[in-house]
Amino acid sequence: MKRVQAPARGLVLLSRGHSGNAIRFLCPPTIPEAVFEAARQILEAALLAP
């Protein structure tokens, strides 16, 4: 995944791990389902981007 894909689509990700190869997906427990689903779709699209 290119590192610019998710931020360019409006999603901020925190990379973690020794090599920065893990993604921490943080959201409040009160997040509306529609907002969570939109974020999940952005993440999926970024992961599938060439």
Side-chain angles (χ1 to χ4, degrees):
M1 168 178 71
K2 294 181 181 178
R3 294 183 67 93
V4 298
Q5 292 295 324
R9 293 182 165 108
L11 185 64
V12 177
L13 300 174
L14 302 174
S15 60
R16 293 291 182 251
H18 288 226
S19 301
N21 59 352
I23 297 172
R24 180 175 284 179
F25 193 78
L26 303 171
C27 60
T30 57
I31 188 172
E33 189 172 340
V35 174
F36 181 83
E37 181 60 23
R40 189 199 60 76
Q41 289 176 358
I42 292 169
L43 179 59
E44 180 180 356
L47 290 171
L48 296 174

